[in-house]
Amino acid sequence: DIQMTQSPSSLSASVGDRVTITCRASQSISNYLNWYQQKPGKVPKFLIYAASSLQSGVPSRFSGSGSGTDFSLTISSLQPEDFATYYCQQTYTTPNTFGQGTKLEIK
Amino acid sequence: QVQLQQSGPGLVKPSQTLSLTCVISGDSVSSSSATWNWLRQSPSRGLEWLGRTYYRSKWYNDYAVSVKSRVTINPDTSKNHFSLQLSSVTPEDTAVYYCARAGAYSSTWPFDYWGQGTLVTVSS
């Protein structure tokens, strides 16, 4: 199975900050990398596909980059509604594996 | 707008079979541009993909190795739903279970629509 490792596991930041979350795959996955946001008690929400393409309706402050094994999710100016847990996922091959999550908390 | 509605018991006894159903509206289980997936989430395992079913001129299934000997995912075209059966459950199978659609976005197949989640507790 392809292992997905996110860093950091948790992150404290303030409204207006720029934050970056990284995701590393245990082998090359080209651009088969997606990002999700999950708030407590809620269903994961699909944000970004193909490493850098924004899903319709997702604010432009979210952006993704990377290819191969190293990827990142950047939020350019944190808003109160962005505090959540973020997951990366590879769909290069089955099983489609997820990172362990990065919890973004208010400082 | 695609919607997925899950149903099934929230409590299952050890050694019994967990059964969940996911009813699809706004799409078809036979769609050639989607796959239909089951996942679960627990503090110990995180988000774990269990398997999928999809139609490409015929039906296909893929399962995670960790549950392959115990899991079955079946489509039902007459009711436009798909189901999960996980046999011989133990307390380690306690988790929130989700159904999800994977759509063809630049061929990367993200999970774009999710069911509401079902907390399944395995306990006597």
Side-chain angles (χ1 to χ4, degrees):
Chain A
D1 297 0
I2 297 176
Q3 306 303 315
M4 306 300 293
T5 304
Q6 290 181 231
S7 61
S9 296
S10 63
L11 175 60
S12 293
S14 301
V15 173
D17 284 354
R18 176 185 179 92
V19 298
T20 296
I21 297 167
T22 64
C23 176
R24 175 165 288 178
S26 60
Q27 66 183 73
S28 178
I29 58 171
S30 183
N31 70 335
Y32 288 75
L33 191 284
N34 310 304
W35 289 97
Y36 300 84
Q37 175 195 68
Q38 187 177 31
K39 297 181 179 179
K42 301 296 186 182
V43 175
K45 176 185 174 183
F46 162 45
L47 298 178
I48 288 172
Y49 64 97
S52 60
S53 297
L54 224 57
Q55 163 66 333
S56 176
V58 174
S60 59
R61 63 181 180 273
F62 289 90
S63 63
S65 65
S67 67
T69 60
D70 293 313
F71 302 87
S72 63
L73 171 70
T74 297
I75 309 172
S76 60
S77 178
L78 275 172
Q79 299 302 300
E81 60 269 28
D82 300 337
F83 292 94
T85 300
Y86 293 85
Y87 294 94
C88 61
Q89 176 211 26
Q90 66 80 18
T91 49
Y92 181 76
T93 188
T94 56
N96 297 155
T97 44
F98 291 81
Q100 81 281 13
T102 295
K103 187 173 184 179
L104 182 51
E105 299 174 303
I106 300 174
K107 185 183 288 185
Chain B
Q1 177 75 351
V2 176
Q3 293 186 340
L4 304 178
Q5 181 68 38
Q6 299 177 218
S7 62
L11 181 63
V12 182
K13 289 182 166 50
S15 79
Q16 294 192 343
T17 296
L18 179 162
S19 296
L20 296 173
T21 298
C22 183
V23 177
I24 304 162
S25 55
D27 199 351
S28 168
V29 71
S30 304
S31 169
S32 60
S33 58
T35 69
W36 305 98
N37 298 262
W38 285 100
L39 306 92
R40 64 185 177 184
Q41 185 174 30
S42 65
S44 59
R45 293 174 177 266
L47 275 164
E48 179 184 18
W49 176 84
L50 299 176
R52 65 182 180 183
T53 189
Y54 60 100
Y55 185 77
R56 302 288 186 269
S57 302
K58 69 175 185 176
W59 288 101
Y60 294 87
N61 289 95
D62 297 307
Y63 299 123
V65 170
S66 61
V67 295
K68 190 170 187 176
S69 63
R70 301 191 290 133
V71 70
T72 304
I73 296 175
N74 282 323
D76 184 326
T77 57
S78 65
K79 297 179 181 177
N80 203 32
H81 75 207
F82 62 110
S83 61
L84 170 73
Q85 291 193 307
L86 185 66
S87 64
S88 304
V89 297
T90 72
E92 287 197 353
D93 294 310
T94 294
V96 177
Y97 285 75
Y98 294 102
C99 60
R101 186 189 88 160
Y105 294 70
S106 298
S107 302
T108 58
W109 300 92
F111 293 179
D112 55 353
Y113 293 97
W114 296 64
Q116 78 274 23
T118 302
L119 173 59
V120 177
T121 301
V122 179
S123 174
S124 54

